[in-house]
Amino acid sequence: WTIENEISDYNPVSIEGSEKWECIKVFCGDWHSASLTTNGYMFAWGFNKYSQVTSFNKEIIRKPKLIRKLSSIIGASLGKCHTVVYNDKGECYSFGLNTFGQLGLGDEVEYASEPTKIEEFENVVSVSCGPYSTAVITISGEIWVFGVL
């Protein structure tokens, strides 16, 4: 399986080698996808113009790549061109396009090519991304939202 110029396939296809990763979750954004393994690693692939698959120096990632800067990941969500994850310590990281502040990193950054910790909150238990927005829930039940709502 590879991604050609257009990222589409009309029939189900198996991702070669994925059975070796012991995947337990899979996520789809508008233009990229990712999976989590039983040991907390993340693989990602797809359109990567804004580093939403992370810092691989290519616009399209044709085969799933391990995101080496992330570990102990237990949850994630993907927007149109951004990715948000959280780990078993409740720390939240984001990367990709930040045009509308959807990374939670303020308005100084156009995009983040590496997973960047969002410092405003701790103890994250859930994340959800819209095309240009993100919502986070902490263990206390507090909801944080950022980007275009």
Side-chain angles (χ1 to χ4, degrees):
W1 179 82
T2 61
I3 299 170
E4 299 305 323
N5 290 334
E6 290 186 34
I7 304 172
S8 63
D9 204 314
Y10 297 102
N11 295 301
V13 293
S14 176
I15 297 177
E16 184 179 333
S18 62
E19 69 280 357
K20 298 174 188 172
W21 308 335
E22 298 181 17
C23 292
I24 55 171
K25 294 180 183 177
V26 66
F27 308 93
C28 292
D30 285 16
W31 293 100
H32 64 301
S33 300
S35 63
L36 292 183
T37 67
T38 55
N39 57 4
Y41 291 105
M42 179 180 245
F43 286 85
W45 60 96
F47 185 68
N48 190 47
K49 184 174 182 178
Y50 303 103
S51 298
Q52 65 266 35
V53 177
T54 200
S55 63
F56 306 112
N57 195 18
K58 294 183 179 177
E59 191 163 304
I60 296 176
I61 306 302
R62 298 183 186 280
K63 294 186 177 184
K65 300 285 186 186
L66 175 65
I67 301 177
R68 298 192 183 277
K69 304 234 177 208
L70 296 173
S71 61
S72 303
I73 300 303
I74 59 173
S77 188
L78 284 57
K80 186 173 187 88
C81 294
H82 72 292
T83 302
V84 181
V85 303
Y86 63 98
N87 63 21
D88 59 2
K89 297 176 187 169
E91 299 168 326
C92 194
Y93 295 83
S94 63
F95 47 101
L97 186 66
N98 191 47
T99 303
F100 302 103
Q102 64 265 41
L103 297 183
L105 305 175
D107 61 1
E108 302 288 317
V109 178
E110 180 181 351
Y111 70 94
S113 62
E114 298 285 341
T116 305
K117 186 176 179 185
I118 304 171
E119 300 288 348
E120 279 70 25
F121 41 80
E122 298 177 342
N123 301 314
V124 173
V125 297
S126 182
V127 299
S128 182
C129 295
Y132 299 105
S133 62
T134 303
V136 172
I137 300 176
T138 65
I139 198 165
S140 67
E142 189 173 17
I143 298 173
W144 294 74
V145 293
F146 35 99
V148 175
L149 306 175

